[in-house]
Amino acid sequence: MSRLELCLRGSAALLLLVALPAGAQSFRVQCPASTITHPSSLTNTSAEPAYTGPTMFTASGATTFQQPTGNVNGAIKCQQISGGDGYATMADGHQTFMFSLGPLSGLASIAAGNPDGAFDRGTGASFPNIFNTVYPGVPLAGDPATTDGASDSGTAYNPGALGAYTYNGAIGLMPDLDCIAGNQAALAAGTALPCPNTPSSGLDGHVDPRQIMDVGVMNGNIPAPLITMDEDDEFFLTLTNVGMIMRPDLFEQHTVHFHGYPNASAFYDGVPDASVAINIGGSFTYYYLAPDAGTYFWHCHITPPEHLQMGMVGQLYVRPRQDRVPSGTNLYTARAAQDVDLRTACVSTTDILCSHNLPLTNGAVVTTGNGVTRAATGNYAYNDGDGSTYYDVEYPLQIHGFDPNFHFVGMTFNPEAFADMKDKYFLLNGRSYPDTDVNGPMATQSSDTQVHYSQPLASVINIPAGKRALLRIADLDVSEYQTLASMGVKMQVVGYNAKLLRDQAGNNTAYFTNSITLGGGESLDVILDTCLVRPALASGATDYTNCTTPLAAGNVFFLYTPQLDHLSNDAENFGGLMAEVHIN
């Protein structure tokens, strides 16, 4: 047995300490149910516990490291993705070839998307008790679209019966029968176990490569599968490179880079100069400890101008601890408790990168803040301590642009003209108007004859009358700036590049506007408020959970770009960067 295989079958802690060569890997996945940071003996690692204060640790010493002793915060989440190619259908019917990243776990959740803005919908991230389940049968090529019965006759697309496919575990995960048999033989002979770290279930990360290829080939998504996690989570992300069927001459490596994300180690940052790149036929598990809340994004970092333009871009956001504070708890007190732990502390006088420092109340420091408590419903964009980033529904919106000529040249073995790159399709979650009004997955029949859910994440924004919607907007354009405007619904910018808009003194610097402009590599957290007048609490703070004068249900507004040449689908009008906002 090779050193690499032994390491992969070892503990999660060992993997984090040893730099392994990526080139010799075969397909594998990793999702431990217990780690040093989240021991299953102290917490349920497959559920998010309430946040009642910092995690308690043992004392550190010269020869020891700190370990949790109680009040363990966060959980473990895992996700598996493929790197390869695929197709997407533009709003004018044009099929566009992509280098793409696709789902190999959470397939049912990703296909369902998030049509109503509900909490934690449409993501591929799963708890260990979901991820580490074996598919009951044999997945079909093109799943989940195949099992759902999606079809494309060439003139009409039928999405099928969404929901027929229900599996969210890791595609290909199988018991390691060789290790099970080897351990049983060793026990009978009284010799050392050949696979001492293989559990009795046999699930040690071994996968069936046939299933990986059947589902992963030509199954790319635009945007790439959504990644979500909560502060304090440990996140294990496995990237499997299945190769590109349409470009067999390219032995393209792929990586995962979390843009703007504060990684503790460059080894997991995905920049090949300081990390590793994954060859065709290989898998690699990235490790993250979720740090600061906010909206980030991720992409492949191999020749970024090419791979970003070709579609290897995805959404990522981290939810704040404040979401997990028990209902009725004073938010200022809960936020102040985070400063007790150096790992979670945010004190702007000693950390200039910290943005969610304690808020001022009426321009002064008040030990109980503005008196706002954790609402019984809804969530928060950041650890604001005053409830100012409260929202009822949330929608990730990824802005992107395609140059169809660049994509065609990339498919037909010709040199790509980077200097001539000019986007002509402008997309929200991989769709142009009027496809942005389709509230469900969009599919494309690819060259493997299978129908694939190529654009599963809808762009329709549904907001209950009088409620607030958080738009997590990221721009991953290669060649264009993009502007979005909102007419009729108040737009408030509360975060920029995964930082709460608050100055070092604690003043709220969020602002109202009717348009936002982003360049490639920027993100904004924007709240659309469908209430014209809100009541005030006894402390004088705005009560965001109640509304006196809501916008009337049934109204439809537009989130659109005023850049006229971006309101097109490779033609002169009728399409482009525009989505509908429905008041329900």
Side-chain angles (χ1 to χ4, degrees):
M1 184 180 298
S2 68
R3 171 181 175 273
L4 175 61
E5 190 172 4
L6 283 171
C7 288
L8 286 172
R9 287 176 177 166
S11 66
L14 180 60
L15 179 62
L16 304 184
L17 297 175
V18 180
L20 304 177
Q25 289 177 312
S26 59
F27 293 163
R28 296 188 69 84
V29 296
Q30 184 179 10
C31 186
S34 182
T35 65
I36 293 172
T37 306
H38 290 93
S40 58
S41 59
L42 296 177
T43 184
N44 179 3
T45 61
S46 289
E48 289 291 344
Y51 184 83
T52 57
T55 301
M56 295 181 290
F57 291 93
T58 58
S60 59
T63 59
T64 60
F65 55 88
Q66 290 183 299
Q67 298 185 60
T69 59
N71 202 38
V72 179
N73 287 300
I76 296 173
K77 292 190 177 76
C78 306
Q79 191 164 342
Q80 183 183 200
I81 57 174
S82 64
D85 56 358
Y87 285 90
T89 302
M90 300 295 100
D92 62 354
H94 177 79
Q95 286 194 345
T96 300
F97 172 69
M98 304 185 299
F99 296 177
S100 51
L101 297 149
L104 284 175
S105 70
L107 269 68
S109 174
I110 291 171
N114 190 9
D116 53 6
F119 180 73
D120 205 25
R121 291 274 298 275
T123 178
S126 302
F127 292 115
N129 64 342
I130 297 174
F131 187 92
N132 292 325
T133 56
V134 177
Y135 186 79
V138 179
L140 304 175
D143 268 345
T146 303
T147 297
D148 284 346
S151 63
D152 187 351
S153 66
T155 58
Y157 161 61
N158 175 17
L162 186 65
Y165 185 95
T166 60
Y167 180 66
N168 280 314
I171 291 293
L173 183 65
M174 299 287 287
D176 192 335
L177 300 181
D178 290 340
C179 271
I180 292 174
N183 283 350
Q184 290 174 344
L187 288 171
T191 58
L193 298 179
C195 305
N197 295 310
T198 298
S200 58
S201 65
L203 299 179
D204 59 0
H206 170 80
V207 297
D208 178 355
R210 173 61 186 268
Q211 294 186 21
I212 295 285
M213 297 301 290
D214 280 349
V215 175
V217 168
M218 299 299 294
N219 201 29
N221 285 178
I222 178 70
L226 175 65
I227 296 175
T228 63
M229 55 184 118
D230 294 78
E231 282 185 305
D232 303 309
D233 282 353
E234 284 183 283
F235 185 59
F236 295 82
L237 176 65
T238 299
L239 168 62
T240 293
N241 189 339
V242 299
M244 290 191 283
I245 300 303
M246 296 301 297
R247 289 298 307 270
D249 61 312
L250 293 181
F251 295 89
E252 291 286 273
Q253 298 175 315
H254 297 302
T255 70
V256 171
H257 172 65
F258 282 12
H259 190 97
Y261 188 93
N263 271 326
S265 169
F267 186 65
Y268 295 105
D269 196 44
V271 178
D273 313 70
S275 178
V276 296
I278 319 309
N279 291 323
I280 295 175
S283 298
F284 181 76
T285 299
Y286 292 85
Y287 170 82
Y288 309 91
L289 183 62
D292 303 329
T295 299
Y296 305 86
F297 37 93
W298 63 284
H299 59 85
C300 177
H301 215 293
I302 300 293
T303 54
E306 178 189 29
H307 283 209
L308 268 68
Q309 165 66 229
M310 294 298 288
M312 304 192 87
V313 294
Q315 280 279 57
L316 159 71
Y317 53 86
V318 179
R319 294 177 290 255
R321 298 179 188 91
Q322 189 164 294
D323 282 354
R324 309 195 306 270
V325 170
S327 176
T329 302
N330 183 285
L331 293 181
Y332 188 97
T333 303
R335 166 59 196 83
Q338 297 186 34
D339 291 344
V340 177
D341 182 354
L342 291 178
R343 194 180 70 78
T344 62
C346 177
V347 182
S348 60
T349 55
T350 58
D351 182 3
I352 62 172
L353 297 179
C354 169
S355 71
H356 59 278
N357 45 293
L358 287 166
L360 297 180
T361 301
N362 298 323
V365 175
V366 179
T367 56
T368 58
N370 60 4
V372 174
T373 59
R374 173 63 168 105
T377 59
N379 288 295
Y380 304 87
Y382 289 93
N383 296 303
D384 52 52
D386 59 6
S388 58
T389 64
Y390 173 86
Y391 65 89
D392 298 283
V393 293
E394 69 177 336
Y395 295 93
L397 287 178
Q398 181 175 288
I399 303 174
H400 194 56
F402 277 165
D403 176 352
N405 182 64
F406 191 94
H407 284 248
F408 178 77
V409 167
M411 181 181 67
T412 54
F413 303 82
N414 291 300
E416 296 165 330
F418 286 88
D420 297 330
M421 190 186 297
K422 175 65 175 176
D423 292 343
K424 295 183 180 179
Y425 290 103
F426 302 94
L427 314 173
L428 285 171
N429 290 343
R431 311 176 184 202
S432 297
Y433 190 82
D435 284 348
T436 53
D437 196 31
V438 177
N439 213 349
M442 291 183 58
T444 301
Q445 186 171 22
S446 298
S447 53
D448 62 350
T449 74
Q450 299 295 327
V451 175
H452 299 268
Y453 285 144
S454 54
Q455 297 129 288
L457 197 58
S459 307
V460 182
I461 301 167
N462 292 298
I463 313 175
K467 302 297 185 179
R468 287 159 61 92
L470 172 64
L471 307 185
R472 297 183 178 271
I473 305 173
D475 182 9
L476 279 166
D477 270 288
V478 177
S479 63
E480 300 276 352
Y481 280 85
Q482 301 285 5
T483 298
L484 282 178
S486 172
M487 299 296 287
V489 183
K490 289 187 294 184
M491 176 187 286
Q492 183 184 27
V493 180
V494 298
Y496 172 66
N497 285 347
K499 297 293 182 183
L500 174 65
L501 289 181
R502 179 174 290 168
D503 67 17
Q504 288 182 276
N507 294 295
N508 187 347
T509 58
Y511 61 92
F512 288 94
T513 182
N514 67 350
S515 70
I516 55 171
T517 299
L518 299 91
E522 292 184 301
S523 70
L524 287 173
D525 297 290
V526 174
I527 290 178
L528 297 183
D529 196 338
T530 63
C531 183
L532 300 175
V533 180
R534 292 192 180 278
L537 298 170
S539 63
T542 301
D543 182 3
Y544 291 115
T545 63
N546 290 292
C547 178
T548 303
T549 310
L551 289 172
N555 275 319
V556 177
F557 300 91
F558 282 93
L559 190 68
Y560 70 100
T561 180
Q563 298 164 274
L564 297 183
D565 61 330
H566 292 190
L567 286 172
S568 65
N569 300 321
D570 193 22
E572 182 185 357
N573 337 331
F574 310 119
L577 208 62
M578 183 162 61
E580 294 185 0
V581 179
H582 295 210
I583 312 301
N584 300 325

